[in-house]
Amino acid sequence: MTGEFSPDWLALREPADAEARDAGLLQELPAGIRVIRDLGCGTGSMGRWLAPRLPMPQHWIMTDRDPALLTLAADGMPPQVTVSTHLRDVTELTSADLDGVDLVTCSALLDVLTASEVETLVTTLAEARVSALFTLSVTGEVRMAPEDPLDRDVEAAFNEHQRRETGGRRMLGPDAPAFAATAFEKAGARVVTGASPWRLGPARSALTAEWLRGWASAAAEQRTDLPVSPYLERRLAAVPNVSVGHQDVLSIFI
């Protein structure tokens, strides 16, 4: 894969992300959203998708730990919004950072956080009484057509890999959206969820192939006994139609 947070990979996946997000959740947003803080903003794809769907004026605070991505995000936002950048690891967010913020957003972030990091983030949002829209967290469900006998084994190995411990951190992986929804409910938020699966296949052959390589590579790293190489060769030789499960989580503090 070109890199989980590389500009090339983020650009490749942006159209599929935009199509997958559950726009129906936006009907549940509270009125008066003017200041939005985007966590782990990457190149700004979440802002480019959401800004045209919210009333103007808007100010976006793009937050990321990568200064190069912050520059791309700020430069790529719609011209009718104002933008500022904040170089910060999202796990270090404080309630003071949310002063004046109406909505916190993120995309494809929760599954790379730990349980304690999500709980801390939820507590921070609850203290500030700021609503949040967290999109495209993986659920671990992958369906392909046509099927291959090894699909389910690769899926299970990939999901184990997503829950692995690395650098002293055990990531939530596909458990993240359900964990976050429960944490928000315990904190007193009203929670609405929506399915946001990726739809991949021959029509998106470059993205599908890149996703397949990353998916299979993670599975092989987790389970060295699996014959992943011939499996990947079969899948790349005839790109299947794929549904990759994600879930969007909206939490609203009244």
Side-chain angles (χ1 to χ4, degrees), residues 121-142:
L121 180 56
V122 169
T123 298
T124 300
L125 289 161
E127 289 175 352
R129 311 303 292 175
V130 174
S131 298
L133 177 60
F134 293 163
T135 68
L136 296 174
S137 296
V138 296
T139 63
E141 300 166 349
V142 173

Side-chain angles (χ1 to χ4, degrees), residues 22-46:
D22 186 354
L25 293 185
L26 304 185
Q27 300 175 15
E28 304 291 334
L29 287 172
I33 293 174
R34 293 292 182 266
V35 180
I36 304 102
R37 180 179 279 271
D38 191 13
L39 304 182
C41 64
T43 62
S45 66
M46 180 67 180

Side-chain angles (χ1 to χ4, degrees), residues 8-150:
D8 288 344
W9 168 245
L10 296 175
L12 186 61
R13 64 175 288 169
E14 185 166 344
D17 287 350
E19 183 181 285
R21 293 188 186 96
D22 186 354
L25 293 185
L26 304 185
Q27 300 175 15
E28 304 291 334
L29 287 172
I33 293 174
R34 293 292 182 266
V35 180
I36 304 102
R37 180 179 279 271
D38 191 13
L39 304 182
C41 64
T43 62
S45 66
M46 180 67 180
R48 286 188 289 275
W49 177 81
L50 184 56
R53 292 171 168 82
L54 295 178
M56 296 293 171
Q58 295 170 34
H59 179 71
W60 282 75
I61 306 169
M62 314 306 279
T63 307
D64 206 286
R65 63 184 181 184
D66 186 328
L69 291 179
L70 281 176
T71 298
L72 290 172
D75 291 345
M77 285 292 284
Q80 63 268 37
V81 307
T82 59
V83 181
S84 60
T85 60
H86 191 186
L87 186 64
R88 171 71 69 88
D89 191 306
V90 299
T91 63
E92 300 171 351
L93 193 74
T94 68
S95 56
D97 293 326
L98 300 179
D99 185 29
V101 173
D102 302 309
L103 179 70
V104 164
T105 64
C106 75
S107 190
L109 174 68
L110 291 181
D111 38 85
V112 299
L113 300 181
T114 68
S116 63
E117 288 166 352
V118 171
E119 287 174 338
T120 298
L121 180 56
V122 169
T123 298
T124 300
L125 289 161
E127 289 175 352
R129 311 303 292 175
V130 174
S131 298
L133 177 60
F134 293 163
T135 68
L136 296 174
S137 296
V138 296
T139 63
E141 300 166 349
V142 173
R143 295 295 176 265
M144 299 197 201
E147 296 182 350
D148 184 281
L150 207 63

Side-chain angles (χ1 to χ4, degrees), residues 122-234:
V122 169
T123 298
T124 300
L125 289 161
E127 289 175 352
R129 311 303 292 175
V130 174
S131 298
L133 177 60
F134 293 163
T135 68
L136 296 174
S137 296
V138 296
T139 63
E141 300 166 349
V142 173
R143 295 295 176 265
M144 299 197 201
E147 296 182 350
D148 184 281
L150 207 63
D151 286 346
R152 299 285 71 79
D153 289 333
V154 175
E155 177 189 283
F158 175 84
N159 289 339
E160 290 173 20
H161 185 269
Q162 294 302 97
R163 297 183 179 104
R164 72 194 184 281
E165 182 175 333
T166 177
R169 300 171 62 255
R170 183 170 296 280
M171 296 182 295
L172 280 168
D175 302 322
F179 184 91
T182 298
F184 275 120
E185 287 174 344
K186 289 180 178 178
R190 180 168 73 88
V191 176
V192 188
T193 61
S196 51
W198 262 2
R199 303 296 186 188
L200 307 181
R204 288 192 168 116
S205 58
L207 175 60
T208 306
E210 199 67 14
W211 173 82
L212 278 166
R213 293 186 186 98
W215 193 60
S217 176
E221 185 178 320
Q222 188 69 28
R223 291 252 331 253
T224 56
D225 60 304
L226 286 179
V228 171
S229 291
Y231 169 81
L232 181 59
E233 289 178 7
R234 291 195 301 273

